[in-house]
Amino acid sequence: MNDVILSRIAEALTWTGRYVERADATGRILDAYLHRMLEDPWRDEDAACRSLYAILGVDAGDERVDMQQVLDQLAFDAHSTCSIEGALGAARLNARSAREAVSSEMWECLNATWHALGEQRRAARRTGPYAYLELVRSRAALFFGLADSTMSRDDSWRFVVLGRSLERVDMTVRLLSVRVLDAAHAPDWTTLLSASGADEAYARVHTGFGDSPRVAEFLLLDRAFPRSALHALTTAEECLTALGRPRQDPARRPIGRIRTRLEYLDSHALEEQLPLLLTDLRQSCMASAEAVAERFFPYQGPVEWAQEGA
Amino acid sequence: MADIFDAYALADAWDEMFVRPGEVRTAYEPVLAALQPIEPSELRFRADQMARAFTDRGVTYAFAGEERPWPLDLVPRILDALEWDLIQRGVAQRVRALEAYLSDAYGHCRAFEDGVVPWRLLLNSAHFHRAAHGVEPPGGVRIHVAGIDLVRDEAGDFRVLEDNVRVPSGVSYVIENRRAMTRIFPSLFTEQHVLPVDGYAQRLLASLRAAAPGGTVDPRVVVLTPGPSNAAYFEHALLARLMGVQLVEGHDLVCRNNRIWMRTTRGEVPVHVVYRRLDDDFLDPLHFRPDSVIGCPGILSAATAGNVTLANAVGNGIADDKLLYTYVPDLIRYYLSEEPILPNVESYRPDEPGQLEAVLDQIDQLVVKPVDGAGGMGIVIGPKADAETLERTRQAVAADPRGWIAQRPVALSTSPTLAGERMAPRHIDLRPFAVNDGNDIWVLPGGLTRVALQEGNLIVNSSQGGGSKDTWVLAEGPAEGPAPAPAGGLPEVAPRQLGPDGSPTVVQEGAQQ
């Protein structure tokens, strides 16, 4: 019976899911921002770039920043797992270290993506980054599609989905945080929707447009939209339930609590509670991720060999 | 260095980019500077990339029975703030006058009583529908969306070529062209301030909702399409998707008790506003063509009863009749007490005593058009037609003077267009789109610029092998926006959670073979 899973593998799977989701979300955000900046005649490049850095948790420095620098740092930097290329590289290495747990199609997908990035990166310097960003989006979708269609619904699969869900909440919270904390330089609501891949879904639900706190409501509370915080939290909680102890689970508790709070939130009170809610959401996800790490992948210090007679 | 504009020889018309060879118009300077250093092979590469993206996205049109990618030229057409101000005011004025005319023609008929327009123009129009008489649409709006075709003449003045107030199409290409240009040619935009076009669907939805029958709390809007085999189906689907409303076909709707419902999995749901993208003739087999299966029987009675709003209204065809076109300047003076901002192209009315002879005499020097033609069909360009065609046209006009108008040929302005590996001047026109919500007529900045891809050709319709250009309206003055953020003034968002980057913790390279 293959009913156990190595801690190391579980950790690798979780971070594979997380990093692929990070690359996908970063790609969407960059795409929406770039498009908005080209389309907006009153753009202020420096301010927009700074708000991008703020969303993605990267220090912008004191010098003026432009789009090329943003792309170099948030898309093409292979050394930072906060950039697309770094995240995909890390996802690939994680998947490789868990090759017996992921299907070969998933691994090949990540590997082929990694090798295709170089050429698209060079093309992006000539014609702009859209083809590059599109590649990232479609490969992320392919990866998760393969996970859904080639992995058994066992614990391995749950760790991948858990990682994706926690990262998804984190990204949504980041987007909204900048809007809430610094509305003057933040992207407009429509850009927030397209950065979350939610513009068409939102238009169908609301038969209207993103000019209002209804966007925040949609991105946080919509039950049916897979990138909403509520939906991602629900998915994460389902994974944790299946993975963990039925009660008193320190990984599930913060997720369950904040999910319940969202479920029963009075949407009229949302606007006023938003700043606090976003902080709580982020902290809950971090607490849960830490508890998951502590419980499922306890850290092993590096092994040192003492050589006799040395 | 040889560049792609080297061989650019101006045609005998106003050129949009160059005053004379080598002297570029101010608005085009940054674009020229961005395009000039690009190698022809690079331009081809981008053009191919764009064509592939259009094919992948399904932005195609049928040409000679083949599905082709939408033809977008890489050189944008640019309108500066002053030019746009004129166009915008002129288009809005025109739409206001045509609205007044429709209201009058289906109401008190003052303009006919006062002799501004002859009665026969109304009574023998193929588009005059008795069913529309006496119907007062919500908010008084009959033209929810208008497409006014403009050309620029030899002197550089914009003139109205024709009005489209039935179901003007092409706005989806404005949206897609911009999307494609920002993706394939981001560098072109860097030093420009181009007004965005992505607010169109929002404006359209707002005006459609405003047009709902009185007392509707949360009006349901649908887009009515003839179906996927229609040439503009892509546009219908795009507008429905951008507005987040249902795209329905005739058989999805049912009329009961003079109300319109749509069949859904949750039963029949009421519909309040139908943005219909099919002609009057196909809308309702009970009133119009009984053999049509793409409409919805009873929808016209429901509209007459005030239970559903049709946008645009039934019977608008009397306002874009090409003979009426010749009266529009008078209508602007009559209804609005204003002088026309945009002039017409000089036109003859064979219908009027004395003018028929004048037209027949100089038919080889005029452009002759059937009054209800669309898509450039049936137009005869006198100076370019052979003797046989001219004779045939002369007989046709003599037999049915009401069916034709004649115009002075205008050498439409040209714009540099990629032909092979070089730039060459090609004739263009412009269709701005106006949306009327009852209070305000909003004109989408820019519009659809169509290009006649063959040298010297004056007919730009895509059904006749025409292409298109992204149309830029430059914002007035320098960029104004929020002040730059003070350094360090932005909020700190928490750092990212980082996990293993996957590299092995114990280096074991070479350990295995």
Side-chain angles (χ1 to χ4, degrees):
Chain A
M1 270 293 282
N2 206 357
D3 59 349
V4 294
I5 173 170
L6 289 174
S7 292
R8 177 177 56 78
I9 299 296
E11 185 171 22
L13 291 172
T14 309
W15 284 98
T16 306
R18 245 192 127 132
Y19 282 138
V20 175
E21 177 68 17
R22 184 173 292 180
D24 178 56
T26 308
R28 284 173 191 280
I29 291 171
L30 288 177
D31 197 22
Y33 256 77
L34 287 168
H35 191 66
R36 189 67 240 165
M37 282 178 58
L38 295 179
E39 284 245 316
D40 180 2
W42 293 283
R43 64 189 171 259
D44 173 349
E45 195 172 2
D46 182 60
C49 292
R50 279 175 190 281
S51 103
L52 253 177
Y53 279 112
I55 290 173
L56 298 174
V58 175
D59 183 21
D62 296 333
E63 302 286 309
R64 266 193 84 80
V65 276
D66 60 17
M67 280 320 295
Q68 194 51 52
Q69 190 183 335
V70 166
L71 285 170
D72 285 342
Q73 246 175 299
L74 300 178
F76 306 143
D77 180 2
H79 301 294
S80 159
T81 49
C82 292
S83 88
I84 292 174
E85 204 137 330
L88 283 176
R92 168 175 173 264
L93 292 174
N94 272 293
R96 186 165 71 174
S97 69
R99 281 219 43 192
E100 78 281 14
V102 299
S103 68
S104 34
E105 288 178 70
M106 290 163 70
W107 153 249
E108 281 164 25
C109 167
L110 287 180
N111 197 37
T113 306
W114 175 251
H115 290 299
L117 282 178
E119 191 190 330
Q120 283 299 343
R121 186 191 335 114
R122 285 187 291 278
R125 300 218 182 270
R126 268 168 71 194
T127 55
Y130 294 106
Y132 177 94
L133 298 174
E134 205 160 279
L135 174 80
V136 171
R137 267 205 311 271
S138 65
R139 290 308 175 89
L142 181 61
F143 175 80
F144 287 122
L146 288 170
D148 277 352
S149 58
T150 60
M151 279 181 96
S152 281
R153 293 301 185 268
D154 58 10
D155 285 356
S156 297
W157 178 78
R158 288 186 192 105
F159 279 111
V160 174
V161 175
L162 175 66
R164 177 181 71 181
S165 306
L166 291 176
E167 185 71 19
R168 208 169 255 194
V169 179
D170 183 67
M171 276 299 204
T172 305
V173 168
R174 282 171 185 280
L175 265 175
L176 286 171
S177 295
V178 171
R179 177 80 217 168
V180 168
L181 298 175
D182 181 47
H185 298 105
D188 55 50
W189 293 108
T190 316
T191 306
L192 283 190
L193 280 173
S194 56
S196 312
D199 37 1
E200 292 182 4
Y202 177 88
R204 287 179 76 85
V205 170
H206 286 293
T207 322
F209 293 88
D211 274 334
S212 68
R214 277 202 305 188
V215 172
E217 188 185 332
F218 186 81
L219 291 179
L220 287 178
L221 303 182
D222 192 81
R223 254 165 241 281
F225 182 64
R227 287 176 190 276
S228 80
L230 180 58
H231 196 285
L233 286 170
T234 309
T235 309
E237 200 184 354
E238 281 162 9
C239 292
L240 287 165
T241 309
L243 285 168
R245 292 178 298 217
R247 287 158 28 139
Q248 292 298 316
D249 178 353
R252 209 179 93 205
R253 196 187 306 125
I255 296 291
R257 264 195 200 139
I258 192 87
R259 198 259 307 148
T260 323
R261 195 165 138 204
L262 290 182
E263 295 253 21
Y264 295 102
L265 189 74
D266 177 2
S267 60
H268 296 295
L270 179 64
E271 204 174 350
E272 151 199 340
Q273 293 186 18
L274 203 48
L276 196 60
L277 187 64
L278 291 173
T279 311
D280 289 355
L281 263 164
R282 196 173 54 232
Q283 282 170 356
S284 303
C285 286
M286 285 182 85
S288 175
E290 279 158 19
V292 165
E294 201 167 308
R295 162 115 190 270
F296 295 109
F297 5 103
Y299 182 66
Q300 286 285 305
V303 180
E304 283 180 47
W305 296 96
Q307 205 146 9
E308 266 182 77
Chain B
M1 187 191 77
D3 73 53
I4 48 172
F5 287 95
D6 267 359
Y8 193 77
L10 294 181
D12 203 7
W14 173 275
D15 193 83
E16 299 283 339
M17 194 189 258
F18 295 100
V19 184
R20 58 183 66 85
E23 189 181 331
V24 66
R25 295 182 200 281
T26 321
Y28 279 88
E29 277 168 6
V31 161
L32 183 66
L35 283 173
Q36 214 154 20
I38 298 179
E39 293 288 320
S41 60
E42 175 69 24
L43 279 181
R44 260 297 127 217
F45 169 75
R46 295 199 199 208
D48 292 346
Q49 233 187 348
M50 195 145 71
R52 200 163 47 237
F54 277 140
T55 307
D56 288 349
R57 292 171 51 77
V59 187
T60 55
Y61 73 108
F63 181 75
E66 200 185 314
E67 197 178 337
R68 295 228 188 137
W70 172 249
L72 168 60
D73 184 64
L74 293 174
V75 185
R77 188 259 185 89
I78 303 178
L79 298 163
D80 68 27
L82 274 176
E83 288 170 330
W84 180 246
D85 177 61
L86 182 83
I87 291 173
Q88 177 181 267
R89 285 187 296 119
V91 165
Q93 179 192 52
R94 197 120 178 146
V95 174
R96 283 204 311 278
L98 292 171
E99 277 282 14
Y101 173 71
L102 282 169
S103 169
D104 195 19
Y106 288 114
H108 301 297
C109 297
R110 278 173 35 221
F112 305 99
E113 302 282 359
D114 291 346
V116 182
V117 186
W119 275 104
R120 63 178 188 282
L121 192 73
L122 180 65
L123 299 177
N124 60 16
S125 166
H127 300 288
F128 178 66
H129 294 307
R130 290 186 186 286
H133 195 85
V135 178
E136 185 53 28
V141 181
R142 286 180 176 82
I143 305 171
H144 303 83
V145 179
I148 308 293
D149 288 351
L150 306 178
V151 297
R152 186 182 262 220
D153 65 16
E154 300 83 351
D157 293 327
F158 284 99
R159 290 175 180 272
V160 178
L161 191 63
E162 63 182 62
D163 307 289
N164 297 281
V165 296
R166 279 175 283 173
V167 283
S169 67
V171 73
S172 57
Y173 298 118
V174 177
I175 297 168
E176 287 292 338
N177 282 356
R178 179 62 51 82
R179 189 187 153 97
M181 287 294 278
T182 55
R183 274 161 169 63
I184 302 287
F185 246 133
S187 55
L188 284 187
F189 287 82
T190 45
E191 283 176 30
Q192 312 278 333
H193 299 103
V194 185
L195 291 179
V197 297
D198 56 2
Y200 181 81
Q202 193 166 349
R203 291 282 187 156
L204 178 61
L205 182 64
S207 83
L208 291 173
R209 284 169 68 94
T216 317
V217 179
D218 185 16
R220 183 181 288 277
V221 176
V222 299
V223 177
L224 175 59
T225 174
S229 52
N230 186 272
Y233 183 72
F234 161 75
E235 172 155 313
H236 308 160
L238 180 84
L239 290 176
R241 198 170 71 236
L242 290 179
M243 293 194 287
V245 305
Q246 268 84 10
L247 178 64
V248 303
E249 297 176 23
H251 51 252
D252 296 320
L253 298 178
V254 56
C255 179
R256 183 162 297 127
N257 297 329
N258 249 357
R259 285 174 195 278
I260 298 299
W261 307 79
M262 62 179 178
R263 299 188 175 96
T264 78
T265 53
R266 302 265 173 97
E268 289 175 359
V269 174
V271 169
H272 307 101
V273 181
V274 176
Y275 181 46
R276 48 87 170 229
R277 295 298 302 256
L278 35 89
D279 286 336
D280 289 356
D281 284 353
F282 300 97
L283 198 54
D284 187 342
L286 294 183
H287 281 272
F288 302 112
R289 295 173 56 148
D291 58 329
S292 164
V293 291
I294 55 177
C296 167
I299 197 169
L300 196 58
S301 323
T304 311
N307 293 329
V308 69
T309 303
L310 295 175
N312 290 348
V314 166
N316 278 9
I318 60 165
D320 60 15
D321 180 316
K322 289 196 180 64
L323 184 52
L324 182 85
Y325 160 87
T326 63
Y327 291 91
V328 174
D330 299 331
L331 294 176
I332 291 172
R333 295 185 193 100
Y334 177 71
Y335 289 117
L336 309 178
S337 308
E338 294 172 11
E339 275 303 305
I341 296 168
L342 296 171
N344 275 8
V345 174
E346 290 159 35
S347 308
Y348 293 88
R349 303 166 184 152
D351 187 36
E352 273 186 12
Q355 297 211 9
L356 176 64
E357 292 70 29
V359 169
L360 294 180
D361 281 353
Q362 46 176 336
I363 201 160
D364 57 339
Q365 294 159 42
L366 295 173
V367 177
V368 186
K369 296 177 173 179
V371 293
D372 54 0
M377 305 297 267
I379 295 181
V380 179
I381 298 173
K384 300 199 173 183
D386 56 40
E388 191 192 333
T389 311
L390 285 176
E391 187 49 39
R392 208 168 350 104
T393 313
R394 199 175 277 132
Q395 285 170 14
V397 176
D400 176 22
R402 169 66 177 93
W404 298 84
I405 66 164
Q407 293 178 326
R408 177 179 76 81
V410 176
L412 313 189
S413 61
T414 55
S415 172
T417 301
L418 187 63
E421 300 219 316
R422 283 283 182 273
M423 292 296 164
R426 291 290 183 266
H427 294 295
I428 59 172
D429 77 346
L430 175 66
R431 174 178 288 182
F433 292 89
V435 175
N436 183 4
D437 67 5
N439 293 317
D440 178 37
I441 294 169
W442 175 77
V443 188
L444 174 70
L448 182 60
T449 293
R450 296 179 297 179
V451 194
L453 291 181
Q454 275 136 22
E455 193 174 353
N457 195 343
L458 290 170
I459 295 183
V460 294
N461 302 71
S462 58
S463 53
Q464 308 225 357
S468 73
K469 282 173 175 289
D470 190 16
T471 312
W472 293 5
V473 174
L474 301 186
E476 202 162 359
E480 286 173 46
L490 272 164
E492 286 295 318
V493 177
R496 312 296 288 271
Q497 274 185 314
L498 302 179
D501 60 12
S503 47
T505 36
V506 180
V507 178
Q508 16 175 301
E509 251 168 308
Q512 295 171 5
Q513 288 296 312

